[in-house]
Amino acid sequence: MLKKLIITGLFLSGTFIVFGQSGRKELSARDTITDRSIIYPADMERNYDELLKNWSNNVKYGDDCRSNDDSAVLFNDSVYIHRLYSLPTKMELVFNPVVRDYIEMYAGRRRNQVSYMLGQGKYYFPLFEQALDKEGLPLELKYLPVIESALNPIARSTVGATGLWQFMAPTGKMYDLEINSLVDERRDPLKSTDAAARYLKDLYGIYGDWNLVIAAYNCGPGNVNKAIRRSGGQTDYWAIYPYLPRETRGYVPAFIAATYIMNYYDEHNICPTECKNPASIDSLMIDKNVHFQQIADNLNVSVDDLRQFNPQFKSDIIPGDYKHYSLNLPIDKLSLFLDKKDDIYTYKADQYLTHRKVAGVDAVGGNRAAGNAITYRVKRGDTLARLASRYGVTSSQIKQWNNLASNKLTVGRRLKIYKAEEQSAEELLVSNNTSSDTTVVSVSGLTRTVSVPKETTTYYKIRKGDTWAGIAKKNGVSVTELKGWNRSNKLIAGKQLKIQKIEYVEIQEAVKLPEPELPTVIIDSTYTADLIDGYLKKIVRDESTLPRVRISTTDSDDSDRKNADDSKIIYHKVKIGETITQIAARYNVTKKDIITWNKLSSNMAKVGQRLLILLPEQNNSAQTNNGTQANTDNKSLTATNM
């Protein structure tokens, strides 16, 4: 009985005494440290203020909530000490006046935010515990995002730290988090938590002290190392406390206070809000680009809910065409998505996925040249998609050309459409051969219809009351042109004014196809023989596969060899309509031989191309005559280009 009275007296006196399994522990300097100049971390304050924007007077609390008012419930220091020391934590949770200030901040002016974070914690804390346990880390580290981001997955600090765990971009990429314009996996609760657990484990491998790890997580290992050096090599957080950046000084005390309030909120009459996240969420892989609105309209879920389930997508777009991404959905919506997948991907795709695949109207068949423009009158049953398909353009282009605000078309409305140009090879050749002062109208066979400019002169009889501007407008000319043609500045009724116009007259003319420009090949017999010797050695591993061609290698009769080889080497100029098979039959060689000798990449040769032919020895007289005739014909072709 006496012992109980002594313990009660010690708690009531406020003296800092901690009871453990081994008895009483006297306070050290770290337990009594004070810091009147301490400032709350700016980003922590900013994240808490962000929560107030989402706060509603209609917040729903659990049925077991017993909070009757918003007044703060505070306790003596001895109570805080006992409660902190009683928590089953691996990390050291000390108490001092700085920690007390943070506890009273959470229990007082931040109690509403604590309610919100407790509600969110029902969803996030199990995720954190799983990742921490996987890496063998203290589970109380799950309260780190409370002071980092206030459990807001899209929180962003003034320096760019993002997500629940407030990763900077370089650190996030170091731990395999993808960051681009549409996706930021620092905002992904699962992936960012896994990365944070690995990062904390790496920091503990450096410092071996969890307080130093938390400090390094906030301000970076560089600042912690600098504080250790300035303190003379001390490796205790409270020993290097005065040498840390001002905001980091309050970081560990804030973490200790957050751990306290998350466990003893009920003692301060703080009730958790109801978590809006569903009890069970599953994921599926998305392999095409899709917008949240497409999903929302087809699955009857709100875009806000999709953002809450998938905060990693920054612009409501999942870029599945780039790579497969995971989409989180409530369990009851998962099978519905799979059933309606095709409908979701195509639903209003032009409206929500406005990223153009190609740039420039020419590239997508929308050349806006005046000659390509047509005026189309909308008929019953017409849709933008049908018109776009008919004229080889896109729905977005038709909307842009006609300033349409929606996809609806009014029957009878006139639309301006710039048709896609589809020119054949013949038309392209004709257009290249057309002079600048003529316009091609049509092409048929080897003739074309062209419009040729022709100057005509007409006369206008001046009437009483006519003006220069009126006459010019009637005749489609300018006042300056009228005065220039008539060399007069006066209008006299009854006189005639000369008017010159240019009209286009259609005529038929033959189409002259341009001769393709080909490189000139100059044949030197000595050079050619040496070239063929080296060429055959490179491309033919087994000379027995060559078509009965004898190439002499005797040095004593070098000139005879070259003369003999020249008689078996020709260059055949490919004509229109010829095929390699026909050429091979003509010279009694194989198609494969021609492809090999000329290093052709396909079974086709271009018109005008000169093909190397190695003539085989002929035993049959008829074949010899044919070969000789072919040789003669092609030598004449070769000589033409010498």
Side-chain angles (χ1 to χ4, degrees):
M1 184 65 181
L2 180 61
K3 186 176 181 180
K4 291 182 179 180
L5 290 174
I6 294 174
I7 294 174
T8 304
L10 289 173
F11 274 103
L12 293 175
S13 65
T15 304
F16 294 165
I17 298 177
V18 179
F19 290 98
Q21 295 178 355
S22 60
R24 187 175 65 183
K25 180 180 179 183
E26 297 294 340
L27 295 177
S28 62
R30 66 187 178 187
D31 300 316
T32 58
I33 191 169
T34 58
D35 189 354
R36 296 305 176 191
S37 63
I38 192 171
I39 59 173
Y40 296 118
D43 289 324
M44 187 177 79
E45 292 286 293
R46 181 171 175 266
N47 290 331
Y48 290 154
D49 291 338
E50 191 72 23
L51 292 181
L52 292 177
K53 296 180 182 178
N54 301 322
W55 194 258
S56 170
N57 293 327
N58 299 320
V59 172
K60 183 179 179 182
Y61 294 98
D63 296 334
D64 57 346
C65 180
R66 59 186 180 86
S67 177
N68 296 321
D69 55 58
D70 290 335
S71 60
V73 178
L74 306 177
F75 296 94
N76 291 329
D77 293 348
S78 57
V79 176
Y80 297 139
I81 295 170
H82 178 69
R83 289 175 179 172
L84 281 172
Y85 194 79
S86 299
L87 289 175
T89 63
K90 186 176 181 179
M91 299 175 61
E92 183 182 51
L93 304 177
V94 302
F95 181 84
N96 55 43
V98 180
V99 174
R100 181 186 59 218
D101 289 344
Y102 275 101
I103 290 176
E104 293 180 352
M105 177 195 74
Y106 284 127
R109 60 190 178 91
R110 294 296 184 189
R111 58 189 292 110
N112 283 343
Q113 289 92 325
V114 171
S115 291
Y116 176 86
M117 290 187 290
L118 287 167
Q120 293 296 99
K122 294 177 183 178
Y123 175 75
Y124 289 119
F125 288 155
L127 303 180
F128 301 162
E129 289 174 351
Q130 183 177 358
L132 294 168
D133 183 62
K134 178 183 175 182
E135 298 295 337
L137 305 182
L139 297 187
E140 52 268 27
L141 286 170
K142 67 183 178 182
Y143 300 123
L144 200 55
V146 170
I147 57 174
E148 282 286 353
S149 62
L151 294 184
N152 179 8
I154 62 173
R156 183 177 176 86
S157 74
T158 54
V159 295
T162 301
L164 289 165
W165 296 87
Q166 290 290 280
F167 271 109
M168 294 294 289
T171 310
K173 291 181 178 179
M174 187 187 306
Y175 286 87
D176 305 321
L177 297 180
E178 181 179 350
I179 303 170
N180 57 47
S181 296
L182 296 180
V183 180
D184 191 343
E185 290 183 343
R186 294 177 295 173
R187 297 164 39 154
D188 187 316
L190 288 173
K191 292 187 177 181
S192 65
T193 299
D194 178 70
R198 289 184 283 128
Y199 183 36
L200 289 167
K201 186 175 182 178
D202 290 343
L203 289 176
Y204 187 76
I206 297 173
Y207 296 108
D209 180 275
W210 286 112
N211 287 331
L212 292 181
V213 166
I214 294 176
Y217 191 93
N218 175 254
C219 66
N223 284 318
V224 172
N225 295 340
K226 190 185 299 182
I228 291 174
R229 288 195 301 270
R230 290 177 176 175
S231 68
Q234 297 286 335
T235 56
D236 178 75
Y237 173 80
W238 301 103
I240 68 170
Y241 180 90
Y243 305 99
L244 289 168
R246 291 182 65 191
E247 287 194 10
T248 304
R249 293 178 198 172
Y251 196 71
V252 170
F255 172 77
I256 295 172
T259 303
Y260 169 88
I261 203 68
M262 289 289 129
N263 285 276
Y264 295 108
Y265 60 88
D266 192 50
E267 303 297 333
H268 294 268
N269 287 349
I270 299 176
C271 295
T273 60
E274 289 295 323
C275 180
K276 294 182 180 180
N277 287 322
S280 54
I281 287 181
D282 205 347
S283 61
L284 52 84
M285 300 307 293
I286 301 298
D287 58 0
K288 292 183 180 179
N289 287 0
V290 65
H291 194 282
F292 279 176
Q293 194 65 54
Q294 294 175 281
I295 301 172
D297 291 349
N298 283 275
L299 301 188
N300 194 26
V301 296
S302 70
V303 172
D304 288 337
D305 285 343
L306 291 173
R307 290 169 182 161
Q308 188 173 359
F309 306 151
N310 304 274
Q312 65 271 31
F313 300 113
K314 299 192 290 186
S315 301
D316 294 347
I317 295 175
I318 304 176
D321 286 344
Y322 172 62
K323 59 180 283 190
H324 292 186
Y325 287 97
S326 177
L327 170 68
N328 297 319
L329 287 173
I331 289 289
D332 59 330
K333 300 294 183 182
L334 205 63
S335 58
L336 185 59
F337 182 96
L338 295 175
D339 292 339
K340 304 180 68 174
K341 181 171 64 174
D342 294 337
D343 293 336
I344 291 172
Y345 287 144
T346 56
Y347 176 75
K348 294 185 178 181
D350 290 341
Q351 179 178 343
Y352 296 122
L353 302 174
T354 57
H355 220 70
R356 294 175 297 174
K357 293 183 178 180
V358 291
V361 291
D362 289 340
V364 294
N367 193 339
R368 296 190 67 170
N372 267 356
I374 65 165
T375 300
Y376 179 84
R377 188 169 183 175
V378 178
K379 301 179 180 62
R380 187 179 300 277
D382 281 340
T383 63
L384 279 178
R386 289 178 183 174
L387 294 179
S389 177
R390 181 186 303 174
Y391 293 107
V393 295
T394 67
S395 300
S396 299
Q397 286 177 320
I398 298 177
K399 290 173 67 177
Q400 180 183 359
W401 294 333
N402 297 277
N403 296 320
L404 298 179
S406 68
N407 292 332
K408 289 186 177 181
L409 296 179
T410 304
V411 176
R413 174 166 183 162
R414 287 178 170 80
L415 299 177
K416 183 179 291 185
I417 299 175
Y418 297 89
K419 294 190 298 181
E421 288 189 33
E422 296 183 359
Q423 287 183 300
S424 64
E426 186 182 59
E427 289 174 318
L428 289 173
L429 287 173
V430 171
S431 62
N432 289 337
N433 194 46
T434 306
S435 60
S436 59
D437 59 350
T438 60
T439 303
V440 177
V441 177
S442 64
V443 177
S444 177
L446 295 178
T447 63
R448 63 178 176 180
T449 302
V450 297
S451 296
V452 180
K454 181 180 179 182
E455 187 176 283
T456 60
T457 301
T458 59
Y459 293 91
Y460 176 83
K461 187 175 181 179
I462 303 174
R463 298 178 178 83
K464 189 175 181 179
D466 277 341
T467 62
W468 286 108
I471 297 172
K473 185 176 181 180
K474 287 179 183 178
N475 292 276
V477 295
S478 67
V479 173
T480 304
E481 288 174 329
L482 274 177
K483 291 182 178 180
W485 294 328
N486 296 276
R487 297 181 182 180
S488 173
N489 290 322
K490 294 182 179 180
L491 291 176
I492 301 175
K495 285 194 173 184
Q496 290 186 330
L497 293 178
K498 181 170 41 174
I499 299 174
Q500 294 178 337
K501 291 185 178 180
I502 296 178
E503 297 179 352
Y504 285 88
V505 180
E506 294 184 358
I507 64 172
Q508 295 283 335
E509 69 176 24
V511 176
K512 182 180 179 182
L513 298 177
E515 186 74 18
E517 296 183 5
L518 300 171
T520 302
V521 180
I522 300 176
I523 305 300
D524 178 81
S525 59
T526 303
Y527 169 75
T528 303
D530 293 338
L531 180 65
I532 296 302
D533 284 343
Y535 177 76
L536 292 178
K537 290 178 182 178
K538 289 182 179 179
I539 67 171
V540 182
R541 293 183 178 179
D542 183 5
E543 294 187 358
S544 64
T545 61
L546 289 175
R548 299 192 301 277
V549 178
R550 291 188 306 175
I551 300 180
S552 174
T553 58
T554 306
D555 294 336
S556 59
D557 195 15
D558 185 67
S559 60
D560 292 340
R561 175 186 65 79
K562 292 176 180 177
N563 292 332
D565 288 345
D566 285 345
S567 66
K568 296 179 176 60
I569 299 172
I570 67 168
Y571 288 88
H572 178 85
K573 184 177 180 181
V574 180
K575 302 178 181 62
I576 297 176
E578 279 190 324
T579 65
I580 293 182
T581 302
Q582 293 172 338
I583 298 170
R586 178 177 181 179
Y587 296 111
N588 195 26
V589 295
T590 67
K591 179 180 177 181
K592 183 178 179 181
D593 290 335
I594 296 178
I595 293 174
T596 302
W597 296 333
N598 295 275
K599 296 184 178 180
L600 300 179
S601 59
S602 66
N603 294 332
M604 299 179 63
K606 298 178 181 179
V607 175
Q609 183 176 356
R610 289 171 171 78
L611 299 177
L612 170 70
I613 307 291
L614 301 183
L615 295 176
E617 292 183 357
Q618 305 291 337
N619 294 325
N620 185 278
S621 59
Q623 291 175 341
T624 302
N625 292 335
N626 290 338
T628 304
Q629 181 62 40
N631 190 20
T632 303
D633 293 342
N634 287 279
K635 278 190 176 181
S636 65
L637 289 174
T638 305
T640 304
N641 294 278
M642 289 181 65

